[in-house]
Amino acid sequence: MSINDADHVVTVPAVHRRRLPAFLRSPGGVFGAGWLVLVIVLSFTAGFWRPYGINEQDLANRFALPGADHWLGTDEMGRDLLSRILTAGAQPLLTSALTVLVAFGLGIPMALLAAEHGPRFERWFSRLSEILLALPGMIILLAVIGAVGVRLNIVMTVLGVMISAAVYRVMLGVAKSVRQRLYVDAARVNGLGSLRVNVKYVVPGMATVMAVQAAQLFGIAILIQSGLAFMGFGPPSPQPSWGGMIGDASQQVYNAPWLMVPTGVVLALTVVAANALADAIAGQVAGERPVARRRRRKATRGGAEAREGETFAADTVPADQVPADTVPADRAPVLDVRDLTVAVDDGPATVTDVSFSLRAGRVLGLVGESGCGKTMTARALIGLLPDGVAVSGGSIGWQGRDLAALPEDGLRAIRGREIAMISQEPMVALDPMFSVAYQLTVPIRRFRGVGRGEARRIAAELLNQVGIVDAEGVLRSYPHQLSGGMAQRVAIALALTGRPKLLIADEPTTALDVTVQAEILSLLRALVRDTGLSVLIVSHDLGVVADICDDIAVMYAGQVVESGAAAAVLDDPRMPYTMALLAANPHVPEGQPVPERLACIPGTVPPPADWPAGCRFADRCRFAAPECSAPIPLFSAHESGSVRCVRVDEIDRTHLTWEAESLGAEEAADTGVSS
C-alpha cells in the first residue's frame, strides 16, 4: 500500500495478520482476561465434568484437606469444595452481568440524550441521578428482598438501576467530549440523523471508557451479591453460593481454617481479575498506541515523473464528467446572509447583524482575529452551533429558503447534499476507528443511492479528483496512516460525496506546512473553476485569503467591519482594523523592503459581554474619536463593498496607514488628523 503526498511518495507494507488488543499484551490484562474466561467456562460447564455432585456427602472425610480424591478438600458435611465452588459460580456471574447490563442500558442513553440536547435534558437527568446516588443502596436491596423474597434477578436489576446514576455521571462527560470532535460534526454535515450519529460515532468513541467502567462494576456487583449471600440472603441451602459458603466457613474458622481459603481465594481472584482488566484497558487509553516497526520504504516507480509538472486531477476532469447540477445557471447570489445574530441561551450575542452574499463559482473569505465570530458565523449557516447557542435573528437565504428558520430535519436534508463543510485539523475530522473507504462509501451510498461496489468506484474517483494518485491504497488506509496533507485531501473528498454547491472551509490549511498549504489552495481553486462550486473560507491568514478569495468580509467582535472585492479590500483598506491586520501580516510583497519589526494591534478582542455600544474597535484604534462611541452603521466603500467606520473619508483623504500611526502620537499629529 502506498501513501503519497504531492511532495513525497512512500510505500507502507500492508499488514494482514491481526494483533492482540493492547490491553491483552500487558500482564494485568492477560491475568484478568484469562482468569475470568477460565472461571466462566468452568462454572457454566461444571455439570459436565465435576467429579462429585454438589450435595454428595462423604462423612468419613469431613473437613478434609486438599488431596487426590478432593483437590480442594471438603466441608463440614464431607461435600467436595471444588464441585460446589465452580457450580456456585454461574449465578453470581450471570446476575452481575445483568446488573452491568441494566446500569449501562439506562445510563448510556441518558448520557447521550443529555450530551446532545444540552441543559434541557441534562437538568432532569442530573436531578434523577442525584436522587439515586443519595439512596442507601444496601438498605434498598434489603427492602426489595423483604418485598419479593430472595429473587436475585430482581434484586440485581434494582442494583443496576441504582448504579446507572454513577454510569450516567461518568459517561456524560465522555459523551460531551466525543460530540465536540470534528468527525462527529462531519457526520452531521453529511446528513446523518441523531440516532445514527450516536450509534456509529459517539458510542464507539466512548467504547473504551465503557469497557473500563463495565469491568469495575462487574467486580463490584459480585462483591455485593456475595455480601448478601454471606448475610443469609442468597440461594437457599443446600444450593451453594460463594457468599453462603464463606459464611458457613466462618463458623468453623477455629476448627477448620482451610475451609474458608478456596472459596475466598476464588472470589477474591475474580474481583481482582475484573479490576486488573479494567486497569489494563485504562492503561491502553492513557498510553500511546504502539508504533509499528519501521520498514524499509521504496519510492513508487514513476513517482518522480508523476510529480514533475504535476497537475491536480481536478484540473484534468473532462467537461462531460462535471455534474450538470453544479454548473451555475446565473450570477445571482447562492447564499445571502442578512442581519445574522447568534446568541447564547440566556446570555450575550456572539455574532450581531452580520450580512454578506456569495455568488456561484466565487470564493468568499471571512477574516479576523480569533474570537471575532468567524467560525460561529460559518457553523450557523448549517445549524452546527454548540449546545446552548442558537441563531436569534436575521436570515440565511439559500436557494429560496431561509436556513435560519428550518428545523433540524430540514437542515439534515441540506447538509452534505447542498452545503458541505471542511473542518480544521483534518486528522481529527476523520474518525480513527474506520478506514478511509468506509468513511467515503457510506455517505456516497446514502447521498447517491448506489451499491457498495459503485460507491467504492466513486470514492476512488473522488480521491483522484483531489490529487491522490494511489486511490486504492489510500482507501485501505486508516486516518493515522496518512500525512496531514493527505488527510486534508481525504476530508475534501468526503465533503464532495454529496455533490454540494457550497463548500464551507474552516481554516483548511492551519495544520499544514507551507508547501502542502499551497497545494490544497490550488486544489480548491481547481474545484471552483471546473465545477462552479462556491466556497466560504474562514481564515486569519491574509496570505491564504489573498491567494484564493474573490471577495472578503473582515469581522471584528462579532460584526462585519469591512467587505468588498478581495483586490479592493487588500489594496485599499478603509477600516483601521483591516489596515492593522495587513500591517501585522508577515508576508512581505516581492520587491518591498522588509520592516525591522511588524506592527501590532494593542489589546485583545473584547468578549461579547463587554462590547461597547459604538465602534467595538475603538479601544484599540489609534484613529478613535468621540463620535466613535455612538452606534455605527455600514457605509459604502469600494465596489459593492462597505465599511463600518465614521472616519473613513478622513482616513482615506490623509492616506494614513497603520504603520504611520504605530510610530507614535507625535508623528501622527504631523499628518493633520488627531488621534
Side-chain angles (χ1 to χ4, degrees), residues 481-507:
Q481 296 175 291
L482 305 178
S483 65
M486 187 67 60
Q488 189 62 285
R489 294 173 190 268
V490 172
I492 295 174
L494 179 62
L496 297 177
T497 54
R499 291 177 288 196
K501 299 177 178 64
L502 172 62
L503 189 62
I504 300 174
D506 185 2
E507 302 281 6

Side-chain angles (χ1 to χ4, degrees), residues 587-658:
H587 301 281
V588 179
E590 186 176 355
Q592 296 292 326
V594 179
E596 293 184 3
R597 66 174 185 174
L598 294 173
C600 65
I601 312 174
T604 58
V605 180
D610 296 335
W611 287 343
C615 177
R616 296 174 183 174
F617 186 61
D619 290 342
R620 306 173 68 190
C621 181
R622 297 183 183 276
F623 306 141
E627 55 266 32
C628 297
S629 60
I632 300 174
L634 284 169
F635 297 95
S636 297
H638 311 298
E639 180 182 354
S640 302
S642 56
V643 63
R644 193 184 297 272
C645 181
V646 294
R647 305 195 65 194
V648 58
D649 294 333
E650 301 173 60
I651 295 173
D652 179 55
R653 185 172 62 252
T654 57
H655 303 288
L656 281 176
T657 64
W658 188 267

